Amino acid sequence: MGCTKSLDKYKKTKTAQAGDLIMSVRAPVGAMGKTAYDIVIGRGVAAIKGNEFIYQTLVKYDADRYWKKLAAGSTFESVNSNEVKGAIINVPQDIEEQKKIGEYFLNLDHLITLNQQKITLLTKLKKAMLEKMFPKKGSVIPEIRFNGFANAWEQQKLGEVFETVTDYVAAGSFADLAENVVYRDTPNYAQLVRTTDLKNGFHSGSNVYVDKKAFDFLYRVNLDKECIILPNIGNCGEVYLVIPDDLPYKHNVLGPNAILIRSDTSDNVFLSILLQGKDFQEKLSLIISPNGQTKFNKTELKQISLNMPKQSDEQHQLGAYFSQLDRLITLHRSKIDKIKNMKKAMLDQMFIQ
């Protein structure tokens, strides 16, 4: 049997000891954490002495926007001491039940943290290897190479490496686009792929579609072949490798504010990694407009010089190595999403609403 109790029972203090619960009482109201040290707390946070069950209860309160509803209408989002103390929570009378519930969710949190740590390590490894397996500025030979390769890398302009450099507006004038392309919010012949879709893995929930007429009109940016997408208005510097079979929709075209590039002679997987490297990113930064929203154009992009191996085998091995790192990072992100979804579902089912 459970009972309801006020949070006032769980002492709210101006100091916190290691293990105490910390709650934000100003924007973002309700965010929860724990302290690993003895601390003195400042304005904007409250320290609460409670067990793991209480912590997970307050995590659920935050997810359910309980505190934000209390703060609604305030000029500055916040909750006061009385509102925190007066919050009513449902608590099992059996301490052992509290303990088991708390331990269950603590284990889920540990799994999330473990996967986040693996992502951090893999991201650091990728950054380090990008610097060592690609020549430094002024050099034509990388510090680390796969066995069997010794030739110096060669410089080529991006416009020479990529036979295709195009974008959404290459289809025609704004008047032509307005006449031939109509955005639709329900499934149609093709999906209009935006860089935000590529960034969030098509999980925004607000997809855009076009009909067959628009799809044919936008043939230059048809995503039916492996290619690389570079946002050129906002988020400049991001690089997305597009593999047609990995896209969620059968027919796809690229939306505005991005450039599609494709090589028919070099390894596009390798090239997508090359464009993430320090050398290209520094050169790209020089052509990005510093005023207002960041942007660059195709003409200047084509003039950027790329330092790359001539041998296709070396390109392929480099692309495969970094693709494996990316797959591992994606795998751990997917695990985190699954655990978070499980935690949310179990919070709803194991706590009284």
Side-chain angles (χ1 to χ4, degrees):
M1 182 180 293
C3 62
T4 59
K5 294 183 180 181
S6 166
L7 269 181
D8 192 30
K9 174 185 182 299
Y10 302 93
K11 188 177 179 183
K12 179 172 170 287
T13 68
K14 292 186 180 295
T15 61
Q17 296 177 324
D20 283 355
L21 318 182
I22 306 295
M23 186 181 104
S24 172
V25 294
R26 294 186 179 181
V29 172
M32 291 299 303
K34 300 174 191 173
T35 176
Y37 311 97
D38 294 345
I39 57 172
V40 176
I41 62 171
R43 299 174 66 183
V45 295
I48 300 171
K49 288 191 176 297
N51 59 19
E52 187 66 26
F53 176 86
I54 299 303
Y55 172 75
Q56 297 296 342
T57 298
L58 295 177
V59 167
K60 177 169 170 52
Y61 270 42
D62 181 34
D64 291 343
R65 301 178 62 82
Y66 174 87
W67 305 108
K68 287 181 172 59
K69 291 172 187 175
L70 283 181
S74 302
T75 303
F76 183 79
E77 188 180 85
S78 64
V79 291
N80 60 43
S81 176
N82 290 332
E83 288 172 325
V84 175
K85 290 179 179 179
I88 303 299
I89 60 176
N90 292 290
V91 183
Q93 290 184 347
D94 189 332
I95 297 297
E96 189 62 27
E97 184 177 5
Q98 291 184 34
K99 181 180 177 182
K100 286 189 175 182
I101 292 174
E103 287 176 348
Y104 173 79
F105 286 99
L106 180 62
N107 286 335
L108 292 182
D109 288 342
H110 282 166
L111 288 174
I112 292 171
T113 300
L114 179 63
N115 281 282
Q116 287 173 332
Q117 290 172 342
K118 289 181 179 179
I119 289 173
T120 299
L121 290 173
L122 286 166
T123 302
K124 288 181 178 178
L125 174 62
K126 179 180 176 180
K127 182 176 183 296
M129 297 311 287
L130 278 171
E131 293 179 359
K132 292 181 179 295
M133 299 185 77
F134 288 77
K136 289 182 169 56
K137 189 174 182 179
S139 175
V140 292
I141 296 178
E143 183 179 337
I144 296 176
R145 298 183 87 169
F146 290 108
N147 291 333
F149 302 106
N151 294 338
W153 287 25
E154 299 179 351
Q155 284 205 343
Q156 289 180 273
K157 289 184 178 179
L158 185 143
E160 297 170 343
V161 175
F162 293 95
E163 291 83 1
T164 301
V165 180
T166 189
D167 59 10
Y168 178 87
V169 295
S173 67
F174 289 113
D176 290 337
L177 285 164
E179 180 182 347
N180 290 278
V181 182
V182 177
Y183 289 4
R184 304 171 188 276
D185 57 10
T186 55
N188 208 286
Y189 185 79
Q191 181 166 355
L192 186 90
V193 176
R194 303 156 296 178
T195 55
T196 52
D197 297 321
L198 298 172
K199 188 170 188 174
N200 64 32
F202 295 88
H203 294 314
S204 68
S206 57
N207 297 330
V208 177
Y209 304 91
V210 295
D211 60 18
K212 180 70 162 55
K213 175 185 175 183
F215 176 79
D216 291 339
F217 183 75
L218 296 170
Y219 71 91
R220 291 178 180 83
V221 287
N222 188 326
L223 301 179
D224 61 342
K225 296 179 183 178
E226 188 177 83
C227 62
I228 299 168
I229 305 301
L230 304 177
N232 70 321
I233 298 182
N235 300 323
C236 297
E238 294 178 358
V239 180
Y240 299 103
L241 175 68
V242 173
I243 309 295
D245 288 344
D246 293 342
L247 296 174
Y249 215 68
K250 182 177 181 180
H251 302 293
N252 302 273
V253 288
L254 180 65
N257 304 331
I259 295 175
L260 181 156
I261 57 179
R262 179 188 297 117
S263 176
D264 298 324
T265 54
S266 295
D267 189 308
N268 283 288
V269 177
F270 160 77
L271 291 171
S272 71
I273 302 301
L274 177 67
L275 300 185
Q276 295 174 46
K278 185 176 180 180
D279 183 60
F280 173 78
Q281 289 292 324
E282 286 182 348
K283 291 173 181 175
L284 180 66
S285 69
L286 297 177
I287 68 169
I288 294 174
S289 171
N291 303 316
Q293 190 176 34
T294 58
K295 59 184 177 181
F296 62 89
N297 62 55
K298 290 179 292 186
T299 302
E300 291 180 309
L301 177 67
K302 289 179 181 180
Q303 297 305 309
I304 292 180
S305 61
L306 302 177
N307 203 6
M308 54 187 288
K310 187 174 182 179
Q311 292 174 279
S312 59
D313 285 350
E314 186 171 10
Q315 292 181 22
H316 178 72
Q317 288 192 38
L318 283 164
Y321 173 76
F322 284 98
S323 291
Q324 178 63 15
L325 292 181
D326 286 341
R327 279 193 290 271
L328 288 172
I329 291 170
T330 300
L331 174 64
H332 290 297
R333 283 177 179 157
S334 177
K335 287 182 179 180
I336 288 174
D337 289 341
K338 289 179 180 178
I339 296 168
K340 285 183 175 179
N341 289 336
M342 178 190 298
K343 179 177 179 180
K344 183 179 184 301
M346 297 311 290
L347 281 170
D348 288 339
Q349 295 179 41
M350 295 180 71
F351 287 77
I352 298 175
Q353 301 292 323

